[in-house]
Amino acid sequence: AQKVTQAQTEISVVEKEDVTLDCVYETRDTTYYLFWYKQPPSGELVFLIRRNSFDEQNEISGRYSWNFQKSTSSFNFTITASQVVDSAVYFCALSRDHPSGSARQLTFGSGTQLTVLP
Amino acid sequence: DAEITQSPRHKITETGRQVTLACHQTWNHNNMFWYRQDLGHGLRLIHYSYGVQDTNKGEVSDGYSVSRSNTEDLPLTLESAASSQTSVYFCASSESLQGAYNEQFFGPGTRLTVL
């Protein structure tokens, strides 16, 4: 069975602070995919990043960066110089690698509510 | 532009009533999924379909049913709504190309309240 744990239920920071959202996953698969989604107050799910299990390189996209470590089964997300617009619920998710290429159901963590105060 | 829509966006119903939530996608995707979102649980898979006439149960399928009569639609039915089914429901779809990762695209969500 797959499992994703986001132990931080809520985080509050002041604007311009850096913040790291933790994600720990469990899977028996050797090939899998990891994701981060953002859910702003408007409610839609916004895709941020996908990572496959063979690519452990850290990724940076503007103020966002992701640290994938298979040794600790973690896929942490850091926002540098946070802004009020970053306030949202952030979900980490895990997907199996289905041999047919289809039906990769997502297993989500419980989410972290990030509040960035002005 | 291709899209995935859900209707209604908000619904209030009473315990015991049958409710159907619609999901429609115009990408011609084979795969469609229904998730529910609850505080403390994230999103959990209810049902999914790999194509027309195919349906499968997910993690939290009790009290829900789906049918897939065409590629574009996967309606979710609550046969007898219960207060425990008050939630936000998300529909998603994805392609099924072999040898490629097939991204899931999410609809805007339906907020259902069962009184």
Side-chain angles (χ1 to χ4, degrees), chain A residues 103, chain B residues 29-33 92-96 102-105:
Chain B
H29 285 165
N30 288 329
N31 305 325
M32 296 185 74
F33 308 84
S93 72
S94 70
E95 191 45 278
S96 57
N102 300 290
E103 201 71 59
Q104 283 192 26
F105 296 88

Side-chain angles (χ1 to χ4, degrees), chain B residues 15-32:
Chain B
T15 301
R17 289 189 179 269
Q18 182 181 82
V19 177
T20 297
L21 308 183
C23 175
H24 179 79
Q25 51 96 3
T26 58
W27 280 298
N28 204 36
H29 285 165
N30 288 329
N31 305 325
M32 296 185 74

Side-chain angles (χ1 to χ4, degrees), chain A residues 33 35 37 39 43 45 47 50 91 95 100-106 108-110, chain B residues 31 35 37 40-43 45 48 50 90 96-98 100-104 106:
Chain A
Y33 294 85
F35 305 79
Y37 286 85
Q39 187 177 44
L45 283 164
F47 167 80
R50 177 183 74 243
F91 291 100
S95 174
S100 73
S102 68
R104 292 190 175 103
Q105 305 134 27
L106 292 168
F108 285 83
S110 56
Chain B
N31 305 325
Y35 296 87
Q37 180 182 3
H41 292 280
L43 279 77
L45 185 65
Y48 57 99
Y50 297 170
F90 286 95
S96 57
L97 299 174
Q98 291 195 18
Y101 186 83
N102 300 290
E103 201 71 59
Q104 283 192 26
F106 284 85

Side-chain angles (χ1 to χ4, degrees), chain B residues 6-111:
Chain B
Q6 294 182 233
S7 62
R9 295 294 312 279
H10 302 271
K11 174 77 175 178
I12 300 174
T13 191
E14 295 178 345
T15 301
R17 289 189 179 269
Q18 182 181 82
V19 177
T20 297
L21 308 183
C23 175
H24 179 79
Q25 51 96 3
T26 58
W27 280 298
N28 204 36
H29 285 165
N30 288 329
N31 305 325
M32 296 185 74
F33 308 84
W34 273 105
Y35 296 87
R36 61 177 286 176
Q37 180 182 3
D38 303 289
L39 194 64
H41 292 280
L43 279 77
R44 292 178 291 176
L45 185 65
I46 305 172
H47 281 286
Y48 57 99
S49 169
Y50 297 170
V52 176
Q53 302 302 328
D54 176 80
T55 60
N56 305 277
K57 293 181 178 180
E59 177 188 357
V60 290
S61 61
D62 287 349
Y64 303 94
S65 64
V66 294
S67 61
R68 188 89 181 271
S69 59
N70 60 54
T71 300
E72 295 80 17
D73 299 289
L74 187 69
L76 177 71
T77 297
L78 288 68
E79 300 294 343
S80 178
S83 57
S84 59
Q85 294 177 307
T86 293
S87 186
V88 179
Y89 292 84
F90 286 95
C91 180
S93 72
S94 70
E95 191 45 278
S96 57
L97 299 174
Q98 291 195 18
Y101 186 83
N102 300 290
E103 201 71 59
Q104 283 192 26
F105 296 88
F106 284 85
T110 293
R111 183 174 295 275

Side-chain angles (χ1 to χ4, degrees), chain A residues 36-95:
Chain A
W36 277 95
Y37 286 85
K38 175 182 180 179
Q39 187 177 44
S42 52
E44 75 273 21
L45 283 164
V46 178
F47 167 80
L48 296 178
I49 189 172
R50 177 183 74 243
R51 229 24 188 183
N52 73 51
S53 52
F54 295 111
D55 184 1
E56 286 193 74
Q57 281 193 336
N58 291 334
E59 181 154 342
I60 298 174
S61 176
R63 296 184 297 106
Y64 295 171
S65 63
W66 291 269
N67 184 323
F68 176 29
Q69 291 194 337
K70 288 180 76 171
S71 61
T72 56
S73 297
S74 64
F75 186 43
N76 297 337
F77 173 30
T78 298
I79 302 174
T80 302
S82 60
Q83 300 176 1
V84 173
V85 293
D86 295 327
S87 296
V89 180
Y90 290 87
F91 291 100
C92 181
L94 170 67
S95 174

